[in-house]
Amino acid sequence: MLIINYLIVMFFFLVFFILSTLDKKISYKLKKGIILTSIMLLSFFASFRVIGNDTNSYKLIFEQQNIIHSSKEFIQNIFHYQIEPAFILMISFLKSLNFDYKVFLFISALIPLLIIYKVIIKIEKDYLFITFLLFLMLYLVRGPLDVIRQFFAAVIYLSALYSLSVKKEFNYYKKSILSTFFHYSSLITLFLRPFLKYTWNIKKYILIYTIIFILGLTLKTFIIDFVYNLPINSLNRIYLKLQNYIDNRYDIDSFLKGFLLYSRWFFPIVLNLAIILVLLYSNQIYQKNLFIKLLTNSQIYGSFIFIFLWNIGAPIMARRLEFTLSVGSFFILKEILAHQKGKNKYIYIFIILYLLIYNLLEMLYFIQLTTNIL
């Protein structure tokens, strides 16, 4: 069943790769219709999929969660639920209408995919299929088919960045706060706001990256002790999650499992680092418009946070935050391709092959995790 799921994923990749070669030959209205139809099909697929680490956990949470009958009950327990409050409300609402777990998975995929669609059509007018393909290859498997809470929060943050790019400051804060209620890690987006419009260059980036790399190694013991000594109070659920992310590790009992695990982690992270360096080298792309600059800066801060947390020994938390802050990388990739002019065909093929290898590594990891075939 898992292999069939991945074949379906690869089918969508193939369809949009073919469509991307026809981007300039298909009308804008038809392209939007095709993408919307695909989103509906992908959401339906998500409700039956077996891809992902947390499907059984989510099913258990859905089945055990009681329907919330009063706002007082919800507010009193807002930081004590097993998962973030927005998902508790969603589960409660769906169960009150007698919907089952598969509907929960469907909605959890559909809404964020529609948010992605809305941002894409607002930003992109010429290369809808290419942009959507890059999104699928970067985020489909590790987004709505796996880390559904964090993906939900991340795409709300992406929408917040778009709002900021069109000078809707209040909407940025409103959406960032909303994203935090879908995944607590999005709280970082509120603190990053004052730094999002800063102009970076390669020298500054490498210097700060090096300093943060050293600080992570130096402050490792202090940070871990600080997190474990956080007080237990009404925010104990948030603190507990923070402590779990700091301490959490994957059990690696074979070379192959370790290779596949770290490969699937680092393929997108290395690509994101390359994107940062390319944009800071090519100031023309970096400064093209405010949206691209905001996406790049968010990704820059994601790389800083990643290397710091990785060095203090919190790899899962490092990867989670880097994921959220780099959620718009597919837009930047499209801009890099558009800027290359005559060479973009070869770079496009290279990027597609790179992302295809990444998704194959994802597939192999989950196959060996669930079947022990490898």
Side-chain angles (χ1 to χ4, degrees):
M1 187 64 178
L2 184 63
I3 294 176
I4 293 173
N5 274 212
Y6 274 103
L7 289 175
I8 293 172
V9 168
M10 294 298 174
F11 171 76
F12 276 97
F13 291 170
L14 178 61
V15 168
F16 275 94
F17 176 74
I18 294 170
L19 288 172
S20 70
T21 66
L22 306 171
D23 235 324
K24 294 184 178 180
K25 298 178 181 179
I26 299 177
S27 71
Y28 184 69
K29 184 177 181 180
L30 180 56
K31 285 191 282 190
K32 291 198 300 181
I34 292 171
I35 292 175
L36 267 177
T37 301
S38 299
I39 284 172
M40 294 300 297
L41 292 173
L42 284 168
S43 300
F44 179 75
F45 165 60
S47 66
F48 290 93
R49 48 90 178 180
V50 295
I51 296 173
N53 285 316
D54 299 332
T55 50
N56 291 330
S57 299
Y58 279 122
K59 186 174 182 180
L60 190 63
I61 291 169
F62 184 89
E63 291 172 349
Q64 292 181 345
Q65 177 60 46
N66 296 322
I67 296 173
I68 298 170
H69 295 288
S70 69
S71 56
K72 181 180 178 181
E73 174 192 351
F74 175 69
I75 293 171
Q76 285 177 339
N77 295 286
I78 191 167
F79 293 118
H80 296 275
Y81 292 113
Q82 189 171 355
I83 58 175
E84 285 78 1
F87 272 93
I88 294 297
L89 283 177
M90 185 191 302
I91 290 171
S92 177
F93 175 72
L94 292 174
K95 292 185 75 169
S96 70
L97 297 176
N98 293 318
F99 288 125
D100 64 10
Y101 171 64
K102 289 187 178 357
V103 176
F104 167 72
L105 290 181
F106 175 79
I107 297 295
S108 298
L110 178 64
I111 295 176
L113 287 174
L114 287 175
I115 294 172
I116 288 288
Y117 167 78
K118 187 175 180 181
V119 177
I120 287 177
I121 63 171
K122 285 181 176 179
I123 293 296
E124 187 54 51
K125 301 303 178 186
D126 298 321
Y127 300 104
L128 283 182
F129 288 149
I130 291 176
T131 306
F132 193 66
L133 172 64
L134 292 171
F135 159 72
L136 290 178
M137 297 193 78
L138 272 166
Y139 291 105
L140 179 59
V141 173
R142 61 176 178 148
L145 301 183
D146 190 8
V147 289
I148 60 176
R149 284 164 34 238
Q150 188 177 5
F151 179 69
F152 211 124
V155 299
I156 295 174
Y157 170 61
L158 177 63
S159 181
L161 288 176
Y162 171 76
S163 294
L164 189 60
S165 73
V166 293
K167 309 199 183 318
K168 294 182 178 179
E169 188 90 14
F170 177 73
N171 282 354
Y172 173 86
Y173 284 106
K174 181 175 67 175
K175 290 176 181 178
S176 291
I177 291 170
L178 177 62
S179 71
T180 301
F181 283 91
F182 282 92
H183 202 279
Y184 291 133
S185 64
S186 288
L187 187 63
I188 190 70
T189 65
L190 291 169
F191 297 103
L192 284 182
R193 167 59 195 94
F195 311 102
L196 284 173
K197 292 184 179 180
Y198 181 77
T199 301
W200 287 87
N201 59 46
I202 285 185
K203 288 183 180 179
K204 289 179 187 177
Y205 175 72
I206 293 175
L207 174 63
I208 300 300
Y209 190 90
T210 304
I211 291 171
I212 292 175
F213 180 91
I214 295 169
L215 280 175
L217 295 174
T218 306
L219 298 176
K220 179 176 181 178
T221 302
F222 171 78
I223 295 293
I224 292 175
D225 289 344
F226 172 78
V227 170
Y228 274 93
N229 286 306
L230 286 171
I232 301 298
N233 54 30
S234 61
L235 296 178
N236 65 329
R237 173 60 62 178
I238 296 177
Y239 291 156
L240 181 61
K241 282 182 175 291
L242 180 60
Q243 290 167 354
N244 286 339
Y245 276 128
I246 288 288
D247 188 52
N248 212 345
R249 301 286 191 281
Y250 279 106
D251 293 327
I252 300 173
D253 50 19
S254 71
F255 171 80
L256 180 60
K257 184 176 180 179
F259 171 78
L260 291 173
L261 174 66
Y262 287 109
S263 294
R264 64 185 284 265
W265 278 15
F266 278 98
F267 255 67
I269 290 168
V270 168
L271 179 61
N272 287 340
L273 284 173
I275 288 171
I276 291 170
L277 294 174
V278 167
L279 259 73
L280 294 182
Y281 177 78
S282 178
N283 196 54
Q284 185 178 353
I285 308 176
Y286 179 48
Q287 300 278 19
K288 179 180 178 181
N289 58 56
L290 184 55
F291 184 62
I292 293 299
K293 183 176 182 178
L294 292 172
L295 292 180
T296 307
N297 285 352
S298 180
Q299 198 158 303
I300 284 171
Y301 300 128
S303 71
F304 291 158
I305 292 169
F306 174 83
I307 198 61
F308 180 80
L309 291 174
W310 184 273
N311 281 348
I312 70 169
I316 294 178
M317 189 176 183
R319 182 171 174 259
R320 290 280 181 135
L321 290 177
E322 196 272 345
F323 174 92
T324 295
L325 297 178
S326 300
V327 70
S329 59
F330 62 98
F331 279 112
I332 308 175
L333 266 181
K334 190 275 303 178
E335 286 299 327
I336 292 172
L337 288 169
H339 185 71
Q340 294 303 312
K341 298 179 181 178
K343 296 183 280 186
N344 65 351
K345 180 173 68 174
Y346 304 103
I347 297 173
Y348 181 51
I349 295 298
F350 172 79
I351 290 171
I352 295 300
L353 288 175
Y354 185 91
L355 293 177
L356 185 60
I357 293 170
Y358 157 67
N359 280 279
L360 288 173
L361 290 169
E362 286 270 6
M363 179 180 69
L364 291 173
Y365 173 76
F366 280 112
I367 288 174
Q368 66 85 32
L369 194 66
T370 56
T371 65
N372 292 317
I373 290 176
L374 300 176

